[in-house]
Structure formats: C-alpha cells, structure tokens
Amino acid sequence: MECYDVIVSLASNDQQDKNLPEARERLGQILSDIRYTKELQTKPFSDPHSTKLYVNQLAYAKTTLSAGQLNEVLKDIEKQLGRTPEQKRLGIVCIDLDLMEHDGTRYHLTDWERPYIKQLIGQASDECQYQ
C-alpha cells in the first residue's frame, strides 16, 4: 500500500485548549508519523479588528489515504467536534482542518501566502514535536 507525505493545518478560535488536543487525537487515528509545529496565535484575516485570536498549527504526517479520502475524513472530524455552517457564518471556528499538501501537491494556494503559514512552514523539522 502506498504511503503519502501530507501537511494538515489546524486552526481554532474557540475553546482551543479543548478542541486542538481533541483534533490531534483524532488525527492520530488516521495518520502516522505525525509531527506538529508549535502553536501560533494570530488575528483573523476575515476581521483584523476582532479580538478573538486563532491558534494555528501544522501537522506533518504520512497516510495511505488519497487526497480526496483524507479531505473527507478531515471534514468529518470537524463536524464531529461541533463545527457547523452557522458557527462558520458567525466567525466561530471550534476547529478547522485543511489539507495543505498531499504527496507534493499543494492545496489552499492562497493560504500558503499567509504570514503564519510561512512562519510555521519555516520551522525546521527538528523543532516539530512528535505526538
């Protein structure tokens, strides 16, 4: 079975102390060899005047799932952790899991230009923490 290298972004602006660890636990059930960057707090891009900060993190991992399969599972995890369209409309993000890269193919191309993604990508692999 083929194994793919992936990068998944994690973000939350609501109950981060609960939602991010739960998301990492669920990712551990579907990914292997996971390494996480440090968490980084950022202001939201959609509303730079908001005082509700995001906590962002990247996961480097391996998977046997295709990009489509993995993306489906990520969206299912979001729903399981309570993410709803209504929350999204209100700017409440309990958890956001985005597949950023799968086997060398990048997704969410505009996100790659965001300063926090560049900063997290810039962290050397030895700075990442194994889960």
Side-chain angles (χ1 to χ4, degrees), residues 43-82:
K43 290 184 177 184
F45 277 86
S46 57
D47 182 7
H49 302 293
S50 173
T51 57
K52 201 165 184 82
L53 294 178
Y54 278 82
V55 175
N56 298 277
Q57 187 174 45
L58 295 178
Y60 294 83
K62 296 190 179 296
T63 186
T64 57
L65 299 173
S66 69
Q69 291 169 323
L70 180 54
N71 200 53
E72 275 186 41
V73 173
L74 295 176
K75 297 310 159 193
D76 284 344
I77 291 171
E78 289 178 352
K79 289 177 191 166
Q80 292 167 11
L81 295 182

Side-chain angles (χ1 to χ4, degrees), residues 83-101:
R83 186 154 191 204
T84 64
E86 176 66 12
Q87 281 186 336
K88 186 175 182 177
R89 190 181 66 73
L90 295 172
I92 300 168
V93 180
C94 60
I95 195 69
D96 184 31
L97 301 172
D98 289 329
L99 178 58
M100 298 295 292
E101 187 172 290

